[in-house]
Amino acid sequence: MGPSLRRAAVSAAIGVAVAALAWPAVAFAAADVTVNPSAVAPGGTFTLSAYCGAGAGSASVSGTTIGGPSEITLNPYTAGGPGAFNAELTVPSTTLPGTYQLNVTCSDGETGTGTLVVSPTGAPAGGGGSTSDGPSLALLGAGSGLLAVSGVGGLVLLHRSRRYRGHHCA
C-alpha cells in the first residue's frame, strides 16, 4: 500500500468516525428538562422548566404520572432564551410517595424527561450554604502544627543533602 493510498484510507476512516460520533447528537436531540425543587410533598408546588430547540413555539408535559391532567401547557420563559418554557405545578394531594418521570414534548419534535420525587415530607431543609459555625481552632492548630513539622523536616533533609554532597563512597 503506497503512502498516498494509506493517507486516503486514514482520512476516510477519520471522516467516518467523526460522522458516526456527530450523528447521534443531531438525530437524537433532546429537550433539557429540570424540576425545582426535585423533591416535593403531596400538595406542594414545583417549577418544571424545559429548554427545547430555538425553533420550538410551545411545549407541554403529561401530568398523568403524578395524577394530574394528561396535557399541561408550559408558558414561554423569555429569560431562558428562545425555546425555553416553564410552569409552576402542584402535586395532587392524593399522589403517593415515589419517583415520577415527567415527559415533556416540544412543538419542534424534541422530547425530554424530568424526575420528580414525591416524599411524605418534601425536600429536606437546606441551610442555604455552609452549615459550619466558622473555623475550628483545634483543626487550625493541628494543621499549623503539621505544616511546621513538615517544614522543619524539609530543612533537615536539605541541610543533610548539602553536608554529604561531596562525600561519595567508592
Side-chain angles (χ1 to χ4, degrees):
M1 183 184 285
S4 60
L5 185 58
R6 195 173 300 140
R7 274 191 217 126
V10 169
S11 294
I14 290 172
V16 168
V18 168
L21 291 173
W23 180 74
V26 173
F28 300 112
D32 183 24
V33 179
T34 59
V35 176
N36 188 28
S38 60
V40 181
T45 61
F46 64 96
T47 300
L48 179 88
S49 300
Y51 300 91
C52 305
S58 64
S60 62
V61 62
S62 172
T64 57
T65 57
I66 60 171
S70 62
E71 185 175 338
I72 303 166
T73 302
L74 303 179
N75 305 311
Y77 176 54
T78 54
F85 303 91
N86 71 0
E88 187 171 306
L89 305 171
T90 301
V91 177
S93 59
T94 56
T95 303
L96 297 174
T99 301
Y100 296 89
Q101 302 301 314
L102 301 172
N103 300 312
V104 172
T105 303
C106 304
S107 64
D108 64 356
E110 290 187 13
T111 60
T113 303
T115 302
L116 173 69
V117 175
V118 176
S119 68
T121 58
S130 173
T131 57
S132 77
D133 294 329
S136 164
L137 294 179
L139 290 176
L140 284 174
S144 298
L146 288 172
L147 187 61
V149 168
S150 66
V152 169
L155 288 174
V156 168
L157 288 175
L158 182 64
H159 178 68
R160 286 177 125 186
S161 69
R162 285 185 181 167
R163 195 168 74 179
Y164 292 112
R165 188 166 281 162
H167 302 81
H168 298 286
C169 296

